[in-house]
């Protein structure tokens, strides 16, 4: 309320207003001084931490250089604790920085990863190099498990014809070795090939070693820089929690829950990407090295990746999970194209193959192909691993497609619809089946022989899809073996069978069976004459002829 003209403002009101203004100015001055002092302090802290981080990492680097087994297949996470032990004392100051100046806090994190990245780069790349030296050399037999390699061999027909017998023997030896390997339980750290490791085992070993190191580093970053929303502690609490020499974070080996603050999780993920982006590229190069000579190594690699993705689900290790998922998706696409190539090679056999007898190429290859896949999958999955069910589904889908292509191509090669003999025993123009129809016989012989090979050589390992196709092979073999027997039995026993079959036919259509004896063709005298021609000597001769014919058809 304004005073009346001629009056003055009460002295107490003037003093009160001036006091409030003075207090506000004092607070503003204090804030300015505080911010100025804080800025100076944070600038000194950045410089000091840069020096302390460099010095701490130097001790770790010296320890790695002094390692007598360098480069080693074993990574020692404890070496990095040398640097961490001297840095933990500054952790409360980083919480203070995060609360006061978020931009400076991010700068300090950037300083840390810039100093640390080169150390990890050298260490992890040396580790990959050391593991690759333990790899087994590719063997000539490795290519024999692929349908596409057989297609390449057929192009060099000059040598393949001379080496065919040797190839068959070698394939049989390979099949035995693959089946014997399947009977052994392969524990972690034990190779399918003895001391030397398959490429997928190299990959699995590299990942097993490195995952521990990277996950511990992320846990350290989260604890050291307080990069989480799950922490209920301010600067004063952090300072009072322990003396500087005794300050430590949480257990770095344990898996932490997924960060609920997605903004913070994204910052940590970007930091890990900056620090270990080189490793993702190195891992991709390792995958390409592994599958270059043997695409089936991808099965073991996908299985390893699936296990780690399953373990990392719902944890804070989103960088690792994302890296593995990217690799897994790429490998799944490569495997799908690989299966397409195998099916194309199988279907091309219908056109390129001139062979119309014996075991067809793709039927000879598949038992080794499936055994190699099952051995690789079993070794990588290893009973105690989790999350490999999707890989099993992927393999089974490939089996179903490949088997379908094989069975269909086999029937085309064998001439699925012979012009004379059919499963019903009828022919065109209503004539009876000709037992001497070589086309029909070869059709049945080829199917019986190849289905028998499939049944004997394919080890289904209790897999539902392989078991289903073995069941189909059993049915095909039974059907065509019966038709084959009907055909070949006619030569030695044709007249007798004709008499018996016509008699059975008449019996089925007459209501007075004894009346058949009055017919000239089925009288007692006609039966005696027909049976009299088939004496013991003639029967033995016919059976011996039949034996030789069957041996000719199915003998080695």
């Amino acid at each position: 309320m304004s005073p009346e003209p001629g009056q003055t403002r009460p002295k107490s009101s003037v003093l009160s207003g001036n006091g409030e203004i003075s207090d506000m100015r004092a607070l503003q001055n204090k804030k300015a001084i505080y911010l100025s002092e804080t800025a100076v302090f944070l600038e000194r802290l950045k410089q000091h931490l840069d020096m302390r981080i460099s010095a701490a990492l130097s001790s770790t680097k010296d320890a790695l250089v002094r390692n007598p087994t360098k480069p080693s297949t074993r990574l020692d996470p404890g070496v990095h604790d040398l640097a961490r032990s001297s840095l933990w004392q500054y952790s409360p100051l980083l919480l203070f920085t995060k609360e006061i100046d978020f931009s400076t806090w991010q700068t300090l994190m950037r300083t840390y990863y810039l100093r640390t990245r080169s150390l990890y780069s050298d260490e992890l790349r040396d580790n990959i190099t050391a593991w690759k030296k333990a790899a087994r050399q590719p063997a000539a037999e490795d290519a024999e498990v692929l349908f596409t390699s057989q297609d390449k061999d057929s192009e060099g027909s000059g040598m393949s014809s001379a080496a065919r017998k040797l190839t068959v023997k070698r394939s049989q030896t390979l099949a035995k070795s693959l089946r014997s390997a399947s009977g052994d339980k392969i524990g972690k750290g034990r190779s399918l090939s003895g001391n030397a490791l398959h490429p997928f085992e190299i990959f699995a070993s590299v990942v097993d070693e490195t995952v521990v190191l990277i996950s511990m580093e992320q846990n350290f970053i989260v604890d050291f820089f307080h990069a989480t929303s799950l922490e209920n502690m301010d600067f004063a609490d952090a300072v009072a929690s322990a003396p500087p020499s005794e300050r430590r974070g949480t257990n770095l080996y344990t898996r932490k829950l997924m960060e609920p603050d997605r903004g913070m999780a994204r910052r940590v993920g970007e930091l890990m990407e900056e620090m270990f982006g080189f490793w993702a590229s190195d891992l991709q190069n390792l995958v390409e090295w592994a599958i270059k000579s043997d695409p089936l190594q991808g099965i073991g690699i996908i299985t390893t990746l699936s296990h780690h993705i399953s373990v990392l689900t719902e944890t804070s290790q989103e960088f690792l999970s994302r890296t593995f998922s990217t690799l897994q998706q790429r490998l799944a696409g490569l495997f799908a194209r690989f299966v397409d190539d195998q099916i194309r090679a199988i279907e091309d056999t219908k056109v390129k193959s001139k062979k119309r007898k014996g075991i067809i190429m793709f039927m000879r290859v598949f038992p080794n192909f499936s055994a190699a896949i099952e051995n690789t999958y079993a070794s990588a999955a290893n009973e105690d691993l989790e999350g490999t069910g999707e890989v099993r589904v992927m393999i089974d889908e490939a089996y179903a497609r490949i088997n379908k292509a094989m069975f269909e191509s086999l029937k085309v090669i064998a001439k699925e619809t012979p012009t004379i003999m059919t499963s019903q025993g009828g022919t065109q123009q209503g004539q009876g089946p000709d037992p001497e129809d070589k086309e029909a016989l070869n059709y049945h012989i080829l199917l019986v022989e190849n289905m028998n090979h499939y049944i004997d050589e394919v080890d289904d390992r209790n897999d539902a899809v392989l078991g289903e196709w073995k069941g189909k092979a059993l049915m095909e073999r039974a059907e065509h073996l019966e038709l084959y027997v009907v055909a070949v039995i006619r030569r030695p026993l044709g007249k007798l069978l004709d008499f018996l079959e016509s008699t059975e036919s008449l019996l089925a259509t007459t209501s007075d069976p004894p009346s058949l004896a009055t017919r000239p063709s089925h009288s007692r005298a006609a039966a005696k004459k027909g049976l009299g021609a088939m004496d013991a000597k003639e029967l033995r001769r016919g059976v011996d002829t039949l034996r030789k014919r069957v041996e000719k058809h199915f003998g080695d």
Side-chain angles (χ1 to χ4, degrees):
M1 179 175 175
S2 301
E4 294 291 331
Q7 295 181 347
T8 60
R9 184 185 300 273
K11 187 174 183 180
S12 60
S13 299
V14 173
L15 291 176
S16 176
N18 290 336
E20 291 177 357
I21 294 173
S22 297
D23 290 343
M24 291 176 63
R25 287 175 178 171
L27 287 173
Q28 289 178 345
N29 290 335
K30 288 182 179 179
K31 181 180 179 181
I33 295 172
Y34 174 78
L35 292 176
S36 176
E37 292 292 336
T38 300
V40 172
F41 172 76
L42 292 179
E43 188 63 31
R44 292 174 58 193
L45 178 63
K46 285 194 294 185
Q47 297 175 5
H48 182 72
L49 274 181
D50 191 4
M51 292 187 295
R52 293 304 304 163
I53 289 171
S54 298
L57 293 177
S58 294
S59 62
T60 298
K61 187 174 183 180
D62 291 341
L64 291 172
V65 171
R66 289 195 302 269
N67 185 356
T69 60
K70 184 177 181 295
S72 172
T73 58
R74 300 301 176 194
L75 296 174
D76 182 9
V79 172
H80 295 271
D81 287 337
L82 295 173
R84 293 164 186 157
S85 61
S86 63
L87 294 177
W88 279 118
Q89 58 183 314
Y90 301 104
S91 181
L93 294 177
L94 290 167
L95 178 59
F96 170 79
T97 305
K98 176 187 173 185
E99 294 173 347
I100 298 301
D101 189 340
F102 200 78
S103 176
T104 300
W105 178 75
Q106 289 182 303
T107 301
L108 289 172
M109 291 180 70
R110 180 176 175 79
T111 299
Y112 175 79
Y113 91 72
L114 286 174
R115 298 289 179 266
T116 309
R117 181 171 56 185
S118 60
L119 179 67
Y120 277 115
S121 174
D122 294 340
E123 182 181 9
L124 298 187
R125 283 174 173 164
D126 286 346
N127 180 252
I128 291 176
T129 300
W131 274 112
K132 288 172 73 172
K133 290 179 180 179
R136 67 185 286 272
Q137 296 300 315
E141 291 82 0
D142 292 347
E144 293 180 9
V145 303
L146 303 181
F147 302 96
T148 47
S149 65
Q150 304 297 320
D151 185 49
K152 292 177 182 178
D153 290 343
S154 65
E155 295 175 3
S157 56
M159 293 184 62
S160 63
S161 60
R164 185 171 292 118
K165 292 184 179 180
L166 180 61
T167 301
V168 171
K169 290 181 179 179
R170 194 166 60 200
S171 297
Q172 292 171 347
T173 303
L174 175 62
K176 290 179 181 178
S177 64
L178 289 170
R179 285 197 298 270
S180 63
S182 69
D184 298 331
K185 289 188 177 179
I186 301 169
K188 191 171 182 179
R190 178 185 167 194
S191 171
L192 284 171
S193 55
N195 294 326
L197 299 176
H198 283 78
F200 83 88
E201 295 170 313
I202 297 291
F203 179 88
S205 299
V206 167
V207 170
D208 289 344
E209 289 287 323
T210 312
V211 160
V212 176
L213 204 67
I214 293 179
S215 61
M216 287 183 65
E217 182 59 40
Q218 177 175 315
N219 289 341
F220 171 73
I221 289 172
V222 170
D223 286 356
F224 183 59
F225 288 94
H226 304 273
T228 177
S229 62
L230 298 174
E231 186 179 70
N232 296 317
M233 181 169 56
D234 59 15
F235 172 63
D237 294 333
V239 171
S241 63
S245 60
E246 298 179 8
R247 289 170 185 164
R248 293 293 183 272
T250 59
N251 185 353
L252 302 184
Y253 285 94
T254 59
R255 302 190 188 104
K256 297 182 182 296
L257 295 175
M258 181 178 289
E259 173 59 50
D261 183 345
R262 302 317 298 159
M264 183 62 72
R266 186 175 62 256
R267 290 186 184 90
V268 173
E270 290 171 352
L271 178 67
M272 295 300 293
E273 187 71 42
E274 293 279 357
M275 185 180 296
F276 293 101
F278 71 90
W279 182 72
S281 299
D282 291 348
L283 214 57
Q284 176 61 53
N285 294 334
L286 184 62
V287 168
E288 293 175 358
W289 166 83
I291 65 177
K292 182 178 180 180
S293 59
D294 182 6
L296 293 183
Q297 298 297 309
I299 293 293
I301 295 174
I302 294 176
T303 305
T304 298
L305 291 173
S306 296
H307 160 64
H308 283 286
I309 292 171
S310 174
V311 170
L312 295 172
T313 300
E314 301 299 326
T315 71
S316 61
Q317 300 294 331
E318 296 181 41
F319 164 73
L320 286 172
S321 182
R322 186 167 56 251
T323 299
F324 293 153
S325 295
T326 301
L327 281 176
Q328 184 192 44
Q329 291 170 9
R330 183 175 183 276
L331 275 170
L334 290 175
F335 182 73
R337 290 198 291 273
F338 164 76
V339 172
D340 290 340
D341 290 340
Q342 303 309 302
I343 292 174
R344 193 175 300 113
I346 292 169
E347 293 174 341
D348 286 348
T349 308
K350 295 183 295 189
V351 179
K352 297 180 180 180
S353 177
K354 297 179 180 179
K355 186 176 182 180
R356 291 294 183 269
K357 62 181 181 179
I359 308 302
I360 301 301
M361 176 275 293
F362 48 76
M363 299 298 285
R364 187 180 70 246
V365 170
F366 184 76
N368 297 338
F369 176 83
S370 62
I373 287 180
E374 291 302 311
N375 287 345
T376 301
Y377 174 73
S379 177
N382 192 27
E383 291 188 1
D384 65 330
L385 296 187
E386 307 169 10
T388 59
E390 291 183 2
V391 184
R392 179 76 265 174
V393 171
M394 182 186 72
I395 293 172
D396 286 344
E397 289 176 349
Y399 282 158
R401 293 182 60 204
I402 289 173
N403 275 279
K404 183 175 183 291
M406 288 197 310
F407 279 48
E408 291 177 351
S409 297
L410 178 64
K411 289 187 176 182
V412 172
I413 292 172
K415 296 188 177 176
E416 185 176 9
T417 54
T419 57
I420 297 180
M421 180 167 287
T422 65
S423 59
Q424 287 79 20
T427 63
Q428 297 175 3
Q429 300 177 353
Q431 297 177 356
D434 181 3
E436 299 305 320
D437 178 15
K438 291 185 178 180
E439 184 178 359
L441 275 178
N442 288 337
Y443 172 68
H444 300 310
I445 291 168
L446 189 63
L447 286 176
V448 169
E449 197 170 16
N450 280 271
M451 293 303 167
N452 188 68
H453 178 82
Y454 186 96
I455 294 164
D456 286 346
E457 297 297 327
V458 173
D459 184 359
D460 60 24
R461 317 281 184 92
N462 295 320
D463 179 65
V465 174
L466 289 178
E468 177 185 351
W469 284 97
K470 285 190 77 170
K472 292 180 180 180
L474 282 166
M475 294 173 62
E476 291 279 355
R477 184 182 67 176
E479 176 187 349
H480 292 282
L481 186 59
E482 180 181 357
L483 293 170
Y484 170 81
V485 170
V486 169
V488 297
I489 202 73
R490 291 253 166 213
R491 181 177 290 184
L493 301 174
K495 293 181 179 179
L496 178 60
L497 290 174
D498 288 341
F499 178 79
L500 294 176
E501 287 173 358
S502 63
T503 301
E504 290 177 352
S505 178
L506 290 172
L507 285 172
T509 57
T510 183
S511 59
D512 186 16
S515 65
L516 292 180
T518 62
R519 300 188 182 190
S521 60
H522 291 78
S523 65
R524 186 183 300 273
K528 186 175 181 180
K529 181 180 178 181
L531 294 174
M534 300 297 295
D535 58 10
K537 184 177 181 181
E538 185 65 26
L539 283 173
R540 280 196 299 270
R541 185 184 298 113
V543 170
D544 188 57
T545 302
L546 179 61
R547 176 184 60 81
K548 291 179 180 178
R549 194 179 188 196
V550 172
E551 287 179 351
K552 179 182 177 182
H553 290 159
F554 295 104
D556 294 333

